[in-house]
């Protein structure tokens, strides 16, 4: 590794820290079993929808990062399942717009228990975006993975290595 | 299945959460109008700071525009004195705005479709990349057309006239017959951009090759995905993991010229030695690309379904800010993007 690589990794770590430290107040405690279940359902929905649309795994991961980041900054009242579902929808939609080549219209996203108007989803997207102060690029493990794979394999990256990882 | 109304989430109160009102700014004049929004020169009332205010049309079908998200994503990554910076988002009644942090403008081409083409495609974006790259190399606008015919002529003069041989399918593009050149025009890109004095010889050669490569592919609208990736990789030295694991095959649909009608060429005054007014200088945009005698094909063209990710600043990135306004000596312009979100 040369200095430039070190510098890059360092910048990744710095950026990762800068977006995650604020989530220290976001803890799912035992008392908050409801949120734990709701979150697991949301993650399941995100990954199912990812499969449905053929999104990259990275996109789903990013959605979950957004989901957690949002809840670290704002709370959702106990029992407001519809809000959780709206949040997961907005997070996946934004992540798809960040990462995917083809993004379906909002009405094509599968519904869970609640059906939302596109306008409502749009507004939730906006809420998420402003809550993050428009800092939507998150450093995820994938950021490191791509770098190291590229480093180790150079130009001849084995097919499917990233997806296997 | 229950339907949750917008009000239930308190989204009426919260979407503007943390955002100031657009009333903090005074619109001075419209700078330009892009595919999905207008750009205004505005002044922050409190500080007197000049900003670029960008209004973004919201798409009810697709939510927050993907183009705006991509623009923000790219702007947040770019840190350079010549690149405008995103500052914050502000809201107004019935609309939301974003604004940029002061920064200098960079000449980013306005994405537009020429020859009556109606669809954006990755090829359009690659054309844009090629144009930006060529302009960086050239130091000024390469296609300084005032209107579409002039624009096309400039393009033909430099890149050669398109015909069925070098661009299969071009004759089927709606306006092709109206605009096709009456005389044969040879490609002279290499001659025109090949001998830049400032660039070191080796770099020149390399860049020349890239420029030719990019524009050649875009002219034929057949940029293969791998080539596309390479082009990007070459242009971004240093550790730079690919943004995307894979890229979709480039659609082989009708190609589209991608014009950049944005005012006169960089003559005297385009890069003034001493920016005295520090203001925008956009009024001379040769009629703008949406107000010419030809239909504004770019407007409303659905984007997103065939877009190539990370393909540089597209419409939004280019729609106005920075165009022709390089003379911010210190603080530079602040950009404001107005998002038409009806909060009713």
């Amino acid at each position: 590794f040369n200095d430039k690589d070190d510098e890059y990794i360092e910048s990744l770590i710095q950026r990762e820290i800068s977006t995650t430290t604020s989530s220290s107040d976001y803890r799912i405690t035992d008392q908050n079993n409801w949120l734990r279940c709701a979150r697991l359902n949301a993650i399941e929905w995100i990954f199912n929808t990812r499969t449905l649309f053929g999104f990259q795994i990275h996109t789903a991961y990013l959605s979950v990062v957004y989901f957690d980041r949002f809840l670290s900054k704002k709370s959702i009242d106990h029992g407001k399942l519809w809000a959780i579902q709206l949040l997961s929808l907005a997070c996946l939609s934004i992540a798809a717009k960040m990462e995917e080549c083809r993004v379906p219209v909002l009405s094509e996203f599968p519904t869970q228990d609640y059906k939302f108007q596109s306008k409502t989803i749009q507004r939730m997207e906006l809420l998420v975006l402003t809550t993050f102060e428009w800092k939507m690029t998150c450093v995820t493990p994938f950021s490191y993975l791509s770098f190291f794979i590229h480093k180790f394999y150079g130009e001849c990256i084995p097919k499917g290595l990233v997806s296997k990882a | 299945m229950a339907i949750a109304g917008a009000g239930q989430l308190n989204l009426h109160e919260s979407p503007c959460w943390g955002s100031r009102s657009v009333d903090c700014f005074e619109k001075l004049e419209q700078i330009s109008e892009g595919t999905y929004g207008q750009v205004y020169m505005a002044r922050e009332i409190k500080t007197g700071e000049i900003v670029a205010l960008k209004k973004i049309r919201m798409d009810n079908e697709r939510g927050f525009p993907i183009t705006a998200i991509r623009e923000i994503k790219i702007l947040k990554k770019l840190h350079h004195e010549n690149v405008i910076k995103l500052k914050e988002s502000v809201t107004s009644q019935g609309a939301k705005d974003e604004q940029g942090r002061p920064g200098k403008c960079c000449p980013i081409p306005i994405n537009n479709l020429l020859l009556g083409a109606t669809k954006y495609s990755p090829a359009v974006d690659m054309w844009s990349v090629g144009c930006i790259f060529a302009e960086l190399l050239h130091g000024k606008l390469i296609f300084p057309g005032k209107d579409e015919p002039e624009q096309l002529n400039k393009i033909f003069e430099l890149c050669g006239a398109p015909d069925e041989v070098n661009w299969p399918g071009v004759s089927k593009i709606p306006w092709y017959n109206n605009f096709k050149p009456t005389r044969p025009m040879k490609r002279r890109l290499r001659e025109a951009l090949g001998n830049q004095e400032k660039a070191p010889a080796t770099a020149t050669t390399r860049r020349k090759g890239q420029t030719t490569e990019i524009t050649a592919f875009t002219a034929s609208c057949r940029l293969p995905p791998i080539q596309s990736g390479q082009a990007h990789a070459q242009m971004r030295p240093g550790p730079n993991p690919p943004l995307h694991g894979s890229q979709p095959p480039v659609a082989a649909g009708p190609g589209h010229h991608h014009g950049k009608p944005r005012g006169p060429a960089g003559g005297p005054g385009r890069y003034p030695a001493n920016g005295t007014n520090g203001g925008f200088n956009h009024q001379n945009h040769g009629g703008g690309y949406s107000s010419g005698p030809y239909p504004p094909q770019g407007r409303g063209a659905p984007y997103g379904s065939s877009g190539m990710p990370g393909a540089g600043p597209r419409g939004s990135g280019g729609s106005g800010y920075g165009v022709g306004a390089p003379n911010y000596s210190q603080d530079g312009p602040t950009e404001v993007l107005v998002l038409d979100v009806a909060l009713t």
Side-chain angles (χ1 to χ4, degrees):
Chain A
F1 283 12
N2 56 32
D3 287 352
K4 211 163 190 179
D5 295 335
D6 287 344
E7 206 176 286
Y8 179 70
I9 290 293
E10 212 167 281
S11 77
L12 281 182
I13 293 169
Q14 280 301 327
R15 277 165 50 204
E16 189 174 5
I17 290 169
S18 71
T19 50
T20 50
T21 43
S22 57
S23 57
S24 56
D25 54 340
Y26 168 49
R27 293 191 197 90
I28 299 180
T29 57
D30 285 340
Q31 289 79 25
N32 208 344
N33 200 40
W34 173 82
L35 185 58
R36 185 203 300 270
C37 290
R39 180 177 177 273
L40 284 177
N41 284 336
I43 292 172
E44 197 184 347
W45 178 85
I46 285 170
F47 275 83
N48 287 340
T49 310
R50 176 207 83 83
T51 311
L52 179 73
F53 288 137
F55 291 163
Q56 305 165 82
I57 293 174
H58 172 66
T59 304
Y61 188 92
L62 190 61
S63 311
V64 178
V65 171
Y66 288 162
F67 184 92
D68 288 339
R69 242 177 103 192
F70 184 87
L71 288 179
S72 76
K73 289 169 183 287
K74 286 183 192 297
S75 62
I76 286 181
D77 291 345
H78 184 90
K80 276 196 179 173
L81 189 62
W82 63 270
I84 293 283
Q85 294 186 358
L86 180 55
L87 174 63
S88 49
L89 182 48
C91 288
L92 182 59
S93 169
I94 294 170
K97 286 170 186 169
M98 288 286 285
E99 301 300 329
E100 295 295 328
C101 305
R102 293 173 182 277
V103 180
V105 297
L106 293 175
S107 56
E108 281 177 24
F109 280 81
T111 49
Q112 305 169 70
D113 304 303
Y114 298 90
K115 186 176 168 62
F116 302 102
Q117 297 172 345
S118 294
K119 209 163 90 178
T120 309
I121 302 166
Q122 176 182 288
R123 196 165 296 166
M124 190 67 202
E125 286 181 327
L126 211 49
L127 178 59
V128 173
L129 290 165
T130 51
T131 301
F132 294 169
E133 294 167 324
W134 307 94
K135 289 173 193 141
M136 307 309 294
T137 307
C138 300
V139 174
T140 66
F142 291 90
S143 316
Y144 299 94
L145 204 57
S146 303
F147 174 75
F148 284 116
I149 286 174
H150 186 77
K151 210 65 206 169
F152 293 148
Y153 288 95
E155 293 304 320
C156 37
I157 297 169
K159 268 193 172 173
L161 186 65
V162 177
S163 55
K164 266 188 243 165
Chain B
M1 195 169 275
I3 296 187
Q8 284 177 272
L9 190 60
N10 289 330
L11 288 180
H12 288 299
E13 304 161 20
S14 43
C16 314
W17 193 79
S19 301
R20 294 193 299 165
S21 163
V22 72
D23 296 340
C24 297
F25 296 89
E26 175 194 4
K27 276 183 199 169
L28 298 177
E29 65 174 291
Q30 182 167 327
I31 294 161
S32 78
E33 185 163 357
T35 302
Y36 32 83
Q38 297 104 351
V39 182
Y40 299 92
M41 173 185 175
R43 179 192 294 125
E44 187 179 1
I45 294 166
K46 199 171 159 188
T47 62
E49 183 182 50
I50 298 295
V51 303
L53 175 74
K54 187 169 190 175
K55 183 172 188 173
I56 293 187
R57 296 188 186 95
M58 297 299 278
D59 182 342
N60 275 334
E61 293 293 304
R62 296 179 178 273
F64 192 89
I66 186 172
T67 41
I69 288 197
R70 296 264 165 94
E71 179 181 4
I72 292 163
K73 175 182 174 179
I74 291 164
L75 284 178
K76 285 281 185 191
K77 281 186 180 175
L78 296 175
H79 302 283
H80 189 271
E81 58 178 5
N82 290 337
V83 178
I84 198 162
K85 292 187 186 71
L86 200 65
K87 188 180 179 185
E88 61 172 297
S89 68
V90 295
T91 59
S92 71
Q93 214 173 18
K96 287 198 77 72
D97 310 71
E98 288 169 44
Q99 84 191 41
R101 197 175 294 281
K104 287 179 186 170
C105 290
C106 60
I108 297 173
I110 294 168
N111 295 4
N112 199 11
L113 300 170
L114 300 175
L115 288 174
T118 54
K119 256 181 72 181
Y120 274 116
S121 69
V124 173
D125 288 329
M126 288 314 296
W127 170 257
S128 198
V129 171
C131 289
I132 295 170
F133 200 60
E135 290 188 7
L136 289 173
L137 200 61
H138 197 43
K140 57 186 176 190
L141 294 173
I142 52 170
F143 304 126
K146 286 195 296 289
D147 49 29
E148 184 160 336
E150 197 181 319
Q151 183 94 54
L152 282 168
N153 204 46
K154 298 268 182 203
I155 293 170
F156 295 163
E157 277 174 5
L158 192 65
C159 301
D163 55 36
E164 278 295 329
V165 176
N166 60 28
W167 183 348
V170 68
S171 60
K172 295 189 178 61
I173 295 179
W175 297 69
Y176 175 71
N177 284 324
N178 306 45
F179 289 110
K180 67 179 176 193
T182 47
R183 60 186 172 86
M185 290 162 125
K186 245 185 95 182
R187 183 177 191 83
R188 42 173 288 275
L189 194 64
R190 199 171 282 268
E191 294 86 325
L193 299 176
N195 54 347
Q196 298 299 310
E197 289 169 13
K198 291 173 191 168
T202 49
T204 306
T205 313
R206 261 189 62 225
R207 290 178 192 169
K208 183 174 65 182
Q210 289 172 4
T211 312
T212 310
E213 184 186 16
I214 291 168
T215 44
F217 278 122
T218 52
S220 66
C221 288
R222 287 185 164 188
L223 186 75
I226 296 169
Q227 299 282 6
S228 142
Q230 284 172 347
H232 282 273
Q234 284 167 353
M235 289 166 67
R236 291 189 198 168
N240 193 12
L243 289 170
H244 306 277
S246 63
Q247 294 191 339
V250 173
H256 313 292
H257 263 307
H258 185 193
K260 309 175 308 87
R262 43 169 181 173
R270 183 158 189 264
Y271 292 104
N274 53 343
T276 46
N277 58 4
F280 276 64
N281 184 25
H282 289 78
Q283 56 272 49
N284 57 347
H285 268 210
Y289 60 92
S290 59
S291 61
Y294 304 97
Q297 297 94 345
R299 176 96 53 95
Y303 174 79
S305 59
S306 64
M308 189 176 68
R314 50 175 58 93
S316 71
S319 51
Y321 63 79
V323 178
N327 54 343
Y328 291 89
S329 50
Q330 287 187 343
D331 288 340
T334 304
E335 184 199 19
V336 179
L337 313 180
V338 183
L339 315 179
D340 276 339
V341 183
L343 294 180
T344 51

